[in-house]
Amino acid sequence: ELAPEYAAGWQWGGLLALFRGDVETARQRAERAATLDPGSARVMADLAWVEAAAGRADRALDRCRQAKALAPGHEVIARCFA
């Protein structure tokens, strides 16, 4: 771990794992990013995608709501989870 407290690194690592189809690793990394930066709408939005990929619709919707609450005017987040 080069920068274990760098939330964006965990976030991007989670997305890469998700794109490879490794949903469990993606979830672990996205959760770590959310723990490190709970105020990031982008981290919450990415965690929502991971939860959806894992078949956890309720958790995905909760994370979507969190992302929207953190950045209510964020155009991309609003459109992704409309």
Side-chain angles (χ1 to χ4, degrees):
E1 294 179 21
L2 296 178
E5 301 304 313
Y6 184 54
W10 289 101
Q11 176 189 6
W12 284 105
L15 289 175
L16 289 172
L18 184 62
F19 296 149
R20 286 192 324 261
D22 186 350
V23 177
E24 182 55 28
T25 297
R27 188 194 62 73
Q28 291 171 2
R29 291 176 180 173
E31 285 285 351
R32 173 75 177 183
T35 297
L36 292 170
D37 192 1
S40 171
R42 289 182 186 264
V43 167
M44 291 302 157
D46 288 348
L47 185 51
W49 287 115
V50 171
E51 294 289 12
R56 298 180 186 110
D58 289 343
R59 287 185 184 182
L61 287 173
D62 287 343
R63 295 300 186 166
C64 288
R65 290 183 189 108
Q66 285 178 301
K68 282 183 155 183
L70 290 167
H74 194 286
E75 215 173 294
V76 175
I77 290 173
R79 272 189 274 170
C80 287
F81 305 114

Coordinates of all heavy atoms in Angstrom, one line a residue:
E1 N 0.8 -1.2 0.0 CA 0.0 0.0 0.0 C 0.9 1.2 0.0 O 1.6 1.5 1.0 CB -0.9 0.0 1.2 CG -1.9 -1.1 1.2 CD -2.8 -1.1 2.5 OE1 -2.9 -0.1 3.1 OE2 -3.3 -2.2 2.8
L2 N 0.8 2.0 -1.1 CA 1.7 3.2 -1.2 C 1.1 4.3 -0.4 O 1.8 5.1 0.3 CB 1.8 3.6 -2.6 CG 2.6 2.6 -3.5 CD1 2.6 3.1 -4.9 CD2 4.0 2.3 -3.0
A3 N -0.2 4.5 -0.4 CA -0.9 5.6 0.3 C -2.2 5.1 0.9 O -3.2 5.3 0.3 CB -1.1 6.8 -0.6
P4 N -2.1 4.4 2.0 CA -3.3 3.7 2.5 C -4.4 4.6 3.0 O -5.5 4.2 3.1 CB -2.7 2.9 3.7 CG -1.5 3.5 4.1 CD -0.9 4.1 2.8
E5 N -4.1 5.9 3.2 CA -5.1 6.9 3.6 C -5.7 7.7 2.4 O -6.4 8.7 2.7 CB -4.6 7.8 4.7 CG -4.1 7.0 5.9 CD -5.2 6.1 6.5 OE1 -6.3 6.6 6.7 OE2 -4.8 4.9 6.8
Y6 N -5.3 7.4 1.2 CA -5.8 8.1 0.0 C -7.1 7.5 -0.5 O -7.0 6.5 -1.2 CB -4.6 8.1 -1.0 CG -4.9 8.9 -2.3 CD1 -5.2 10.2 -2.2 CD2 -4.8 8.3 -3.5 CE1 -5.5 11.0 -3.3 CE2 -5.0 9.0 -4.7 CZ -5.4 10.4 -4.6 OH -5.6 11.1 -5.7
A7 N -8.2 8.1 -0.2 CA -9.5 7.6 -0.5 C -9.7 7.4 -2.0 O -10.2 6.4 -2.5 CB -10.6 8.5 0.0
A8 N -9.2 8.4 -2.8 CA -9.4 8.3 -4.3 C -8.6 7.0 -4.9 O -9.1 6.4 -5.8 CB -8.9 9.5 -5.0
G9 N -7.5 6.7 -4.3 CA -6.8 5.4 -4.7 C -7.7 4.2 -4.5 O -7.8 3.3 -5.3
W10 N -8.3 4.1 -3.3 CA -9.2 3.0 -3.0 C -10.4 3.0 -3.9 O -10.9 2.0 -4.4 CB -9.6 3.0 -1.5 CG -8.5 2.7 -0.6 CD1 -7.7 3.6 0.1 CD2 -8.0 1.4 -0.3 NE1 -6.8 2.9 0.8 CE2 -7.0 1.5 0.6 CE3 -8.4 0.1 -0.8 CZ2 -6.2 0.4 1.1 CZ3 -7.7 -1.0 -0.3 CH2 -6.6 -0.8 0.6
Q11 N -10.9 4.3 -4.2 CA -12.1 4.4 -5.0 C -11.8 3.9 -6.4 O -12.5 3.1 -7.0 CB -12.5 5.9 -5.1 CG -13.6 6.2 -6.0 CD -13.8 7.7 -6.2 OE1 -13.0 8.5 -5.7 NE2 -14.9 8.1 -6.9
W12 N -10.7 4.3 -7.0 CA -10.3 3.9 -8.4 C -10.0 2.4 -8.4 O -10.3 1.7 -9.4 CB -9.2 4.8 -8.9 CG -9.7 6.1 -9.3 CD1 -9.5 7.3 -8.7 CD2 -10.5 6.4 -10.5 NE1 -10.1 8.3 -9.3 CE2 -10.7 7.8 -10.5 CE3 -11.0 5.6 -11.5 CZ2 -11.5 8.4 -11.4 CZ3 -11.7 6.3 -12.5 CH2 -12.0 7.6 -12.5
G13 N -9.3 2.0 -7.3 CA -9.0 0.5 -7.3 C -10.3 -0.3 -7.2 O -10.4 -1.4 -7.8
G14 N -11.3 0.2 -6.6 CA -12.6 -0.5 -6.5 C -13.3 -0.5 -7.9 O -13.8 -1.5 -8.3
L15 N -13.2 0.6 -8.6 CA -13.8 0.6 -9.9 C -13.1 -0.3 -10.9 O -13.7 -1.0 -11.7 CB -13.7 2.1 -10.5 CG -14.7 3.0 -9.9 CD1 -14.5 4.4 -10.4 CD2 -16.2 2.6 -10.1
L16 N -11.7 -0.3 -10.8 CA -11.0 -1.3 -11.6 C -11.4 -2.7 -11.3 O -11.5 -3.5 -12.3 CB -9.5 -1.1 -11.5 CG -8.9 0.2 -12.0 CD1 -7.5 0.4 -11.6 CD2 -9.0 0.2 -13.5
A17 N -11.5 -3.0 -10.1 CA -11.9 -4.4 -9.7 C -13.3 -4.7 -10.3 O -13.6 -5.8 -10.8 CB -11.9 -4.6 -8.2
L18 N -14.2 -3.7 -10.2 CA -15.6 -3.9 -10.7 C -15.5 -4.1 -12.2 O -16.2 -5.0 -12.7 CB -16.4 -2.7 -10.4 CG -17.9 -2.7 -10.8 CD1 -18.6 -3.9 -10.0 CD2 -18.6 -1.4 -10.5
F19 N -14.8 -3.4 -12.9 CA -14.7 -3.5 -14.4 C -14.1 -4.9 -14.7 O -14.4 -5.5 -15.8 CB -13.8 -2.4 -15.0 CG -14.4 -1.1 -14.8 CD1 -13.6 0.0 -14.7 CD2 -15.8 -0.9 -14.8 CE1 -14.1 1.3 -14.6 CE2 -16.3 0.4 -14.6 CZ -15.5 1.5 -14.6
R20 N -13.2 -5.5 -13.8 CA -12.7 -6.8 -14.1 C -13.7 -7.9 -13.7 O -13.4 -9.1 -13.9 CB -11.4 -7.0 -13.3 CG -10.2 -6.3 -13.8 CD -8.9 -6.8 -13.1 NE -9.1 -7.1 -11.7 CZ -8.7 -6.3 -10.7 NH1 -8.2 -5.1 -11.0 NH2 -8.9 -6.7 -9.5
G21 N -14.8 -7.5 -13.0 CA -15.8 -8.5 -12.6 C -15.6 -9.0 -11.2 O -16.3 -9.9 -10.8
D22 N -14.6 -8.5 -10.5 CA -14.3 -8.9 -9.1 C -15.1 -8.0 -8.1 O -14.6 -7.0 -7.6 CB -12.8 -8.8 -8.8 CG -12.4 -9.4 -7.5 OD1 -13.3 -9.7 -6.7 OD2 -11.2 -9.5 -7.3
V23 N -16.4 -8.3 -8.0 CA -17.3 -7.5 -7.2 C -16.9 -7.4 -5.7 O -17.0 -6.4 -5.1 CB -18.8 -8.0 -7.4 CG1 -19.7 -7.2 -6.6 CG2 -19.2 -7.9 -8.9
E24 N -16.5 -8.5 -5.2 CA -16.2 -8.5 -3.7 C -15.0 -7.6 -3.4 O -15.0 -6.8 -2.5 CB -15.9 -9.9 -3.2 CG -15.6 -10.0 -1.8 CD -16.7 -9.4 -0.8 OE1 -17.8 -9.4 -1.2 OE2 -16.3 -8.9 0.2
T25 N -13.9 -7.7 -4.3 CA -12.8 -6.8 -4.1 C -13.2 -5.4 -4.3 O -12.8 -4.5 -3.6 CB -11.6 -7.2 -5.0 OG1 -11.2 -8.5 -4.7 CG2 -10.5 -6.2 -4.9
A26 N -14.1 -5.1 -5.3 CA -14.6 -3.8 -5.6 C -15.3 -3.3 -4.3 O -15.2 -2.1 -4.0 CB -15.5 -3.8 -6.8
R27 N -16.1 -4.1 -3.7 CA -16.9 -3.7 -2.6 C -16.0 -3.3 -1.4 O -16.1 -2.3 -0.7 CB -17.9 -4.8 -2.1 CG -18.9 -4.3 -1.0 CD -19.6 -5.5 -0.4 NE -18.6 -6.4 0.3 CZ -18.0 -6.2 1.4 NH1 -18.1 -5.0 2.0 NH2 -17.2 -7.1 1.9
Q28 N -15.0 -4.2 -1.2 CA -14.0 -3.9 -0.1 C -13.3 -2.6 -0.3 O -13.2 -1.8 0.7 CB -13.0 -5.0 0.0 CG -13.7 -6.3 0.5 CD -12.7 -7.5 0.4 OE1 -11.5 -7.4 0.0 NE2 -13.2 -8.7 0.8
R29 N -12.9 -2.3 -1.5 CA -12.1 -1.1 -1.8 C -13.0 0.1 -1.7 O -12.6 1.2 -1.2 CB -11.4 -1.2 -3.1 CG -10.3 -2.2 -3.1 CD -9.7 -2.4 -4.4 NE -8.6 -3.4 -4.4 CZ -8.0 -3.9 -5.4 NH1 -8.3 -3.4 -6.6 NH2 -7.0 -4.8 -5.3
A30 N -14.2 0.0 -2.2 CA -15.2 1.1 -2.2 C -15.6 1.4 -0.8 O -15.7 2.6 -0.4 CB -16.4 0.8 -3.1
E31 N -15.8 0.4 0.0 CA -16.1 0.7 1.4 C -14.9 1.4 2.1 O -15.1 2.3 3.0 CB -16.4 -0.7 2.1 CG -17.7 -1.3 1.8 CD -18.9 -0.6 2.5 OE1 -18.7 0.3 3.4 OE2 -20.0 -0.9 2.1
R32 N -13.7 1.0 1.8 CA -12.5 1.6 2.4 C -12.5 3.1 2.0 O -12.2 4.0 2.8 CB -11.3 0.9 2.0 CG -10.0 1.5 2.4 CD -9.7 1.4 3.8 NE -8.3 2.0 4.1 CZ -7.7 2.0 5.2 NH1 -8.3 1.4 6.2 NH2 -6.6 2.6 5.3
A33 N -12.8 3.4 0.8 CA -12.8 4.8 0.3 C -13.9 5.6 1.0 O -13.6 6.7 1.4 CB -13.0 4.8 -1.2
A34 N -15.0 5.0 1.2 CA -16.1 5.6 1.9 C -15.8 5.9 3.4 O -16.2 6.9 3.9 CB -17.4 4.8 1.8
T35 N -15.1 5.0 4.0 CA -14.6 5.2 5.4 C -13.6 6.3 5.5 O -13.7 7.1 6.4 CB -14.0 3.9 5.9 OG1 -14.9 2.8 5.9 CG2 -13.4 4.1 7.3
L36 N -12.7 6.4 4.5 CA -11.7 7.5 4.5 C -12.3 8.8 4.1 O -11.8 9.9 4.6 CB -10.6 7.1 3.5 CG -9.7 5.9 4.0 CD1 -8.8 5.5 2.8 CD2 -8.9 6.3 5.2
D37 N -13.3 8.8 3.2 CA -13.9 10.1 2.8 C -15.4 10.0 2.7 O -16.0 10.0 1.6 CB -13.3 10.5 1.4 CG -13.6 11.9 1.0 OD1 -14.2 12.6 1.8 OD2 -13.2 12.3 -0.1
P38 N -16.0 10.0 3.9 CA -17.5 9.8 3.9 C -18.3 11.0 3.3 O -19.5 10.9 3.1 CB -17.8 9.6 5.4 CG -16.7 10.3 6.1 CD -15.5 10.1 5.2
G39 N -17.6 12.1 3.1 CA -18.2 13.3 2.6 C -18.1 13.5 1.1 O -18.6 14.4 0.5
S40 N -17.6 12.4 0.4 CA -17.4 12.5 -1.0 C -18.6 11.9 -1.7 O -18.9 10.7 -1.6 CB -16.2 11.7 -1.4 OG -16.1 11.6 -2.8
A41 N -19.3 12.7 -2.5 CA -20.4 12.3 -3.3 C -20.0 11.3 -4.4 O -20.7 10.3 -4.6 CB -21.2 13.4 -4.0
R42 N -18.8 11.5 -4.9 CA -18.3 10.6 -6.0 C -18.0 9.2 -5.4 O -18.3 8.2 -6.0 CB -17.1 11.1 -6.7 CG -17.4 12.3 -7.6 CD -16.2 12.8 -8.2 NE -16.4 14.0 -9.0 CZ -16.7 14.0 -10.3 NH1 -16.7 12.9 -11.0 NH2 -16.9 15.2 -10.9
V43 N -17.4 9.2 -4.2 CA -17.2 7.9 -3.6 C -18.5 7.1 -3.3 O -18.6 6.0 -3.5 CB -16.3 8.1 -2.3 CG1 -16.3 6.8 -1.4 CG2 -14.9 8.5 -2.6
M44 N -19.5 7.9 -2.8 CA -20.8 7.2 -2.5 C -21.4 6.8 -3.7 O -22.1 5.7 -3.8 CB -21.7 8.2 -1.7 CG -21.2 8.5 -0.3 SD -21.1 7.0 0.7 CE -20.0 7.6 1.9
A45 N -21.3 7.5 -4.8 CA -21.9 7.1 -6.1 C -21.3 5.9 -6.6 O -22.0 4.9 -7.1 CB -21.9 8.3 -7.1
D46 N -20.0 5.8 -6.5 CA -19.3 4.6 -7.0 C -19.6 3.4 -6.1 O -19.8 2.3 -6.6 CB -17.8 4.8 -7.0 CG -17.3 5.8 -8.2 OD1 -18.2 6.0 -9.1 OD2 -16.2 6.2 -8.1
L47 N -19.7 3.6 -4.9 CA -20.1 2.6 -4.0 C -21.5 2.1 -4.3 O -21.8 0.9 -4.2 CB -20.1 3.0 -2.5 CG -20.3 1.9 -1.4 CD1 -19.5 0.7 -1.6 CD2 -20.0 2.5 0.0
A48 N -22.4 3.0 -4.7 CA -23.8 2.6 -5.2 C -23.7 1.6 -6.4 O -24.4 0.6 -6.4 CB -24.6 3.8 -5.5
W49 N -22.8 1.9 -7.3 CA -22.6 1.0 -8.5 C -22.1 -0.3 -8.0 O -22.6 -1.4 -8.6 CB -21.7 1.7 -9.5 CG -22.3 2.8 -10.2 CD1 -21.8 4.1 -10.2 CD2 -23.4 2.8 -11.1 NE1 -22.6 4.9 -11.0 CE2 -23.6 4.1 -11.6 CE3 -24.2 1.8 -11.6 CZ2 -24.6 4.4 -12.5 CZ3 -25.2 2.1 -12.5 CH2 -25.4 3.4 -12.9
V50 N -21.2 -0.4 -7.1 CA -20.7 -1.6 -6.6 C -21.8 -2.4 -5.9 O -21.9 -3.6 -6.2 CB -19.5 -1.4 -5.7 CG1 -19.1 -2.7 -5.0 CG2 -18.3 -0.8 -6.5
E51 N -22.5 -1.8 -5.1 CA -23.6 -2.5 -4.4 C -24.7 -3.0 -5.4 O -25.2 -4.1 -5.3 CB -24.3 -1.5 -3.4 CG -23.4 -1.1 -2.2 CD -23.1 -2.2 -1.2 OE1 -23.4 -3.4 -1.5 OE2 -22.6 -1.9 -0.2
A52 N -25.0 -2.2 -6.4 CA -25.9 -2.7 -7.5 C -25.3 -3.9 -8.2 O -26.1 -4.9 -8.4 CB -26.2 -1.6 -8.5
A53 N -24.0 -3.9 -8.5 CA -23.4 -5.0 -9.2 C -23.4 -6.3 -8.3 O -23.5 -7.4 -8.8 CB -22.0 -4.7 -9.6
A54 N -23.4 -6.1 -7.0 CA -23.4 -7.2 -6.1 C -24.8 -7.7 -5.8 O -25.0 -8.6 -5.0 CB -22.8 -6.8 -4.8
G55 N -25.8 -7.0 -6.4 CA -27.2 -7.5 -6.2 C -27.8 -6.9 -4.9 O -28.9 -7.4 -4.5
R56 N -27.2 -5.9 -4.4 CA -27.8 -5.3 -3.1 C -28.5 -4.0 -3.5 O -28.0 -2.9 -3.2 CB -26.6 -5.1 -2.2 CG -25.9 -6.3 -1.7 CD -24.8 -6.0 -0.8 NE -24.0 -7.1 -0.5 CZ -22.7 -7.3 -0.9 NH1 -22.1 -6.4 -1.6 NH2 -22.1 -8.4 -0.5
A57 N -29.7 -4.2 -4.0 CA -30.4 -3.0 -4.5 C -30.7 -2.0 -3.4 O -30.6 -0.8 -3.6 CB -31.7 -3.4 -5.2
D58 N -31.1 -2.5 -2.2 CA -31.5 -1.6 -1.1 C -30.3 -0.7 -0.7 O -30.4 0.5 -0.5 CB -32.0 -2.3 0.1 CG -33.4 -2.9 -0.2 OD1 -34.1 -2.5 -1.1 OD2 -33.8 -3.8 0.6
R59 N -29.1 -1.4 -0.6 CA -27.9 -0.7 -0.2 C -27.5 0.3 -1.3 O -27.0 1.4 -1.0 CB -26.8 -1.6 0.1 CG -26.9 -2.4 1.4 CD -25.7 -3.2 1.6 NE -25.9 -4.0 2.8 CZ -24.9 -4.8 3.2 NH1 -23.8 -4.9 2.6 NH2 -25.1 -5.5 4.3
A60 N -27.7 -0.1 -2.6 CA -27.3 0.8 -3.7 C -28.2 2.0 -3.7 O -27.7 3.1 -3.8 CB -27.5 0.0 -5.0
L61 N -29.5 1.9 -3.4 CA -30.3 3.0 -3.3 C -30.0 3.9 -2.2 O -30.0 5.2 -2.3 CB -31.8 2.6 -3.2 CG -32.4 2.0 -4.5 CD1 -33.8 1.5 -4.3 CD2 -32.4 3.1 -5.6
D62 N -29.6 3.4 -1.0 CA -29.2 4.2 0.1 C -28.0 5.0 -0.2 O -27.9 6.2 0.1 CB -28.9 3.3 1.3 CG -30.1 2.7 2.0 OD1 -31.3 3.3 1.7 OD2 -30.0 1.7 2.7
R63 N -27.0 4.4 -0.9 CA -25.8 5.1 -1.3 C -26.1 6.2 -2.3 O -25.5 7.2 -2.3 CB -24.7 4.1 -1.8 CG -24.2 3.1 -0.8 CD -23.6 3.8 0.4 NE -23.0 2.8 1.3 CZ -22.2 3.1 2.3 NH1 -21.8 4.3 2.5 NH2 -21.7 2.1 3.0
C64 N -27.0 5.9 -3.2 CA -27.5 6.9 -4.2 C -28.0 8.1 -3.5 O -27.7 9.3 -3.8 CB -28.5 6.4 -5.1 SG -28.0 5.2 -6.3
R65 N -28.9 7.9 -2.5 CA -29.4 9.0 -1.7 C -28.4 9.7 -1.0 O -28.4 11.0 -0.9 CB -30.5 8.4 -0.8 CG -31.7 7.9 -1.4 CD -32.8 7.4 -0.4 NE -33.9 6.7 -1.1 CZ -34.1 5.4 -1.1 NH1 -33.3 4.6 -0.4 NH2 -35.1 4.9 -1.8
Q66 N -27.4 9.0 -0.4 CA -26.3 9.7 0.2 C -25.5 10.6 -0.7 O -25.2 11.7 -0.4 CB -25.3 8.7 0.9 CG -25.9 8.1 2.1 CD -24.9 7.1 2.7 OE1 -24.5 6.1 2.0 NE2 -24.5 7.3 3.9
A67 N -25.2 10.1 -1.9 CA -24.5 10.8 -2.9 C -25.3 12.1 -3.3 O -24.7 13.2 -3.4 CB -24.2 10.0 -4.1
K68 N -26.6 11.9 -3.5 CA -27.4 13.1 -3.9 C -27.4 14.1 -2.8 O -27.4 15.3 -3.0 CB -28.8 12.7 -4.3 CG -28.9 12.1 -5.7 CD -30.3 11.7 -5.9 CE -30.6 11.7 -7.4 NZ -32.0 11.4 -7.7
A69 N -27.5 13.7 -1.6 CA -27.6 14.6 -0.4 C -26.2 15.3 -0.3 O -26.2 16.5 0.1 CB -27.9 13.8 0.9
L70 N -25.1 14.7 -0.6 CA -23.8 15.3 -0.4 C -23.6 16.3 -1.6 O -22.8 17.3 -1.4 CB -22.7 14.2 -0.4 CG -22.7 13.4 0.8 CD1 -21.8 12.2 0.6 CD2 -22.1 14.2 2.0
A71 N -24.2 16.1 -2.7 CA -23.9 17.0 -3.9 C -25.3 17.1 -4.6 O -25.4 16.6 -5.7 CB -22.9 16.4 -4.7
P72 N -26.2 17.8 -4.1 CA -27.6 17.9 -4.7 C -27.6 18.5 -6.1 O -28.4 18.2 -6.9 CB -28.4 18.7 -3.7 CG -27.4 19.4 -2.8 CD -26.2 18.6 -2.8
G73 N -26.6 19.4 -6.4 CA -26.6 20.0 -7.7 C -25.7 19.3 -8.7 O -25.5 19.8 -9.8
H74 N -25.1 18.2 -8.3 CA -24.1 17.5 -9.2 C -24.9 16.9 -10.3 O -25.6 15.9 -10.1 CB -23.3 16.5 -8.4 CG -22.1 16.0 -9.1 ND1 -22.2 15.1 -10.2 CD2 -20.8 16.2 -8.9 CE1 -21.0 14.8 -10.6 NE2 -20.1 15.5 -9.8
E75 N -24.7 17.4 -11.5 CA -25.5 17.0 -12.7 C -25.3 15.5 -13.0 O -26.3 14.8 -13.3 CB -25.0 17.8 -13.9 CG -26.1 18.1 -14.8 CD -25.6 19.1 -15.9 OE1 -25.3 20.2 -15.6 OE2 -25.6 18.7 -17.1
V76 N -24.1 15.0 -13.0 CA -23.9 13.6 -13.4 C -24.5 12.6 -12.3 O -25.2 11.7 -12.7 CB -22.4 13.3 -13.5 CG1 -22.2 11.8 -13.8 CG2 -21.8 14.1 -14.6
I77 N -24.3 12.9 -11.1 CA -24.9 12.1 -10.0 C -26.4 12.1 -10.1 O -27.1 11.1 -10.0 CB -24.4 12.5 -8.6 CG1 -22.9 12.1 -8.5 CG2 -25.2 11.8 -7.5 CD1 -22.3 12.6 -7.2
A78 N -27.0 13.3 -10.3 CA -28.5 13.4 -10.4 C -29.0 12.6 -11.6 O -30.0 11.9 -11.5 CB -28.8 14.9 -10.6
R79 N -28.3 12.6 -12.7 CA -28.8 11.9 -13.9 C -28.6 10.4 -13.8 O -29.4 9.6 -14.3 CB -28.0 12.4 -15.2 CG -28.7 13.5 -15.8 CD -28.1 13.8 -17.1 NE -27.0 14.7 -16.8 CZ -26.1 15.1 -17.7 NH1 -26.1 14.6 -18.9 NH2 -25.1 15.9 -17.4
C80 N -27.5 10.0 -13.2 CA -27.2 8.5 -13.1 C -28.2 7.8 -12.2 O -28.5 6.7 -12.4 CB -25.8 8.3 -12.5 SG -24.5 8.7 -13.6
F81 N -28.7 8.5 -11.2 CA -29.6 7.9 -10.2 C -31.0 8.5 -10.2 O -31.7 8.4 -9.2 CB -29.0 8.0 -8.8 CG -27.6 7.4 -8.8 CD1 -26.5 8.2 -8.6 CD2 -27.4 6.1 -9.0 CE1 -25.2 7.7 -8.5 CE2 -26.1 5.5 -9.0 CZ -25.0 6.3 -8.7
A82 N -31.4 9.0 -11.4 CA -32.7 9.6 -11.5 C -33.8 8.5 -11.4 O -33.7 7.4 -11.7 CB -32.9 10.3 -12.8

